[in-house]
Amino acid sequence: MAPSIEPRAVTSAVLKGGVGKSMLTTNTARALADRGHRVLEIDMDPNGHATTGLGFENEYQTADQHIGDVMLGDRAADPEDVIVDTGYGFDLLPAHRTLENLNVELANADFGTVRLRRFVVEPLLETTYDYIVIDAANERNKISDNALTASLNMLIPLTPGSGLRGFRRTMERQIKPLREFRDLEILALVPNRIKRRIDHRTTDRELIEGLCTTENLSKKVPNFGYVSPETFERIDAGEWDGPFPKPGLREDTDIERANKDAEVPLAEYNPENDQLGSFDELAAIVEHGGVVRE
Ligand SMILES: Nc1ncnc2c1ncn2[C@@H]1O[C@H](COP(=O)(O)OP(=O)(O)OP(=O)(O)O)[C@@H](O)[C@H]1O
Ligand SMILES: [Mg+2]
């Protein structure tokens, strides 16, 4: 490990389905690997979309040992027994179709919310991996509690329309309750699936402006998603010349196809895709422990 690296685990989570949590997890893991780090992705969502989206349907459906065996202890399985090499420069601890049962088992287990931390993240972070990126489900349960307790850092994807509401719900139901016990850091609020103009009153603008003009939130928005209040004012006053900013992770057919059709990270699907720079910034945010405003 290079001396400048501060090992870190981070979870992609928000209490809202289909907003890009898994997409963010996989492409951030890929971008961290691209920057020369040893990276593990952990799929902690029983729906297994991050696992199947990387082509590991077989592990998800039929593996006889899985992350549940690691977390339930008794040395039923070690992380090394269930981790796979994705072939894309990072490793994956896959989800399994039976993970839903794990919620019940963890509820009955001693210290059921600190097991991912104890059995996976603590032994592997720094020694084996520089960064661990975890994909969480869109509900608050024992499994997602494990993910957040193990990482203590979050990446939060938000989409136009319901993004800010979803964030507020996540704050109330997931972040604040955990903050009673541990420091939980939001590394980045990531506007995703942005496609419309921001010089008109669109839901896309509402999300970007809502994030960028709210104190405490604006500093969590990556540079690729940030539009300053002054820029909005100049646009509205008709004083903006030149192309309008196109903030956020954009709605992008390559992102969709990489995930659904090809089952590979975006960088494998199209190495020329112009969104890759945004994932590189997300990797830098994970390295640094927060956004550095340009
Ligand atoms: N920026 C984008 N452009 C195009 N498609 C996207 C984008 N972000 C996500 N998608 C697609 O939207 C779908 C949902 O994304 P993803 O599975 O990452 O969301 P999720 O929050 O993990 O959902 P779930 O709650 O079901 O686990 C996927 O098919 C994904 O490929
Ligand atoms: Mg998902």
Side-chain angles (χ1 to χ4, degrees):
M1 189 175 66
S4 59
I5 291 174
E6 190 182 328
R8 209 181 310 280
V10 60
T11 299
S12 171
V14 65
L15 296 179
K16 179 99 185 98
V19 294
K21 296 181 295 296
S22 304
M23 181 280 295
L24 203 58
T25 310
T26 288
N27 288 305
T28 302
R30 175 66 175 77
L32 280 163
D34 224 25
R35 292 167 73 93
H37 302 302
R38 302 167 302 163
V39 180
L40 174 68
E41 174 172 349
I42 304 179
D43 187 355
M44 289 292 279
D45 190 336
N47 75 19
H49 287 169
T51 300
T52 54
L54 282 167
F56 290 92
E57 177 79 31
N58 223 22
E59 275 69 12
Y60 179 69
Q61 294 294 348
T62 61
D64 47 355
Q65 282 191 316
H66 56 82
I67 185 158
D69 301 303
V70 178
M71 288 171 65
L72 290 173
D74 301 330
R75 298 269 161 249
D78 286 322
E80 291 81 3
D81 300 332
V82 292
I83 287 173
V84 294
D85 179 352
T86 61
Y88 308 123
F90 62 95
D91 289 350
L92 172 72
L93 209 177
H96 193 268
R97 67 183 159 75
T98 60
L99 271 197
E100 208 61 74
N101 306 336
L102 186 61
N103 270 314
V104 182
E105 290 165 307
L106 287 170
N108 294 321
D110 277 342
F111 303 102
T113 53
V114 292
R115 286 166 170 257
L116 187 71
R117 184 176 186 85
R118 190 75 182 124
F119 293 139
V120 181
V121 173
E122 281 176 357
L124 297 183
L125 191 60
E126 195 162 347
T127 52
T128 312
Y129 299 104
D130 304 320
Y131 297 101
I132 296 179
V133 189
I134 306 172
D135 190 30
N138 60 18
E139 356 169 20
R140 166 103 202 272
N141 56 32
K142 293 291 169 195
I143 299 182
S144 54
D145 281 357
N146 263 279
L148 292 183
T149 308
S151 60
L152 300 178
N153 290 295
M154 293 175 89
L155 294 175
I156 302 184
L158 303 168
T159 50
S162 57
L164 288 168
R165 247 190 345 269
F167 174 61
R168 279 193 287 272
R169 184 166 56 233
T170 307
M171 201 67 200
E172 289 306 315
R173 299 193 193 162
Q174 195 165 34
I175 297 175
K176 280 188 187 165
L178 181 54
R179 280 186 174 161
E180 297 283 325
F181 298 90
R182 299 298 301 258
D183 293 331
L184 175 64
E185 193 63 41
I186 298 171
L187 299 189
L189 297 167
V190 184
N192 183 31
R193 305 200 83 149
I194 309 296
K195 57 181 170 215
R196 296 194 185 81
R197 301 161 64 143
I198 57 151
D199 54 322
H200 293 170
R201 299 266 148 208
T202 59
T203 50
D204 298 45
R205 166 157 177 168
E206 194 187 355
L207 175 64
I208 301 288
E209 196 170 18
L211 290 171
C212 295
T213 58
T214 307
E215 225 197 315
N216 298 329
L217 300 190
S218 64
K219 55 179 186 272
K220 308 282 183 192
V221 181
N223 291 299
F224 66 77
Y226 185 75
V227 177
S228 71
E230 298 73 42
T231 302
F232 277 119
E233 275 167 29
R234 283 177 56 201
I235 289 173
D236 292 346
E239 290 164 4
W240 185 265
D241 37 42
F244 293 117
K246 288 184 148 191
L249 287 174
R250 311 295 298 180
E251 177 74 27
D252 186 308
T253 46
D254 281 352
I255 292 182
E256 182 93 43
R257 288 188 190 137
N259 176 231
K260 277 193 174 161
D261 305 338
E263 300 184 336
V264 296
L266 177 64
E268 268 64 38
Y269 186 77
N270 179 5
E272 306 296 323
N273 186 285
D274 61 3
Q275 304 292 296
L276 289 170
S278 301
F279 294 109
D280 187 59
E281 187 188 348
L282 284 166
I285 289 168
V286 175
E287 281 175 359
H288 185 260
V291 171
V292 181
R293 182 70 63 225
E294 277 167 3

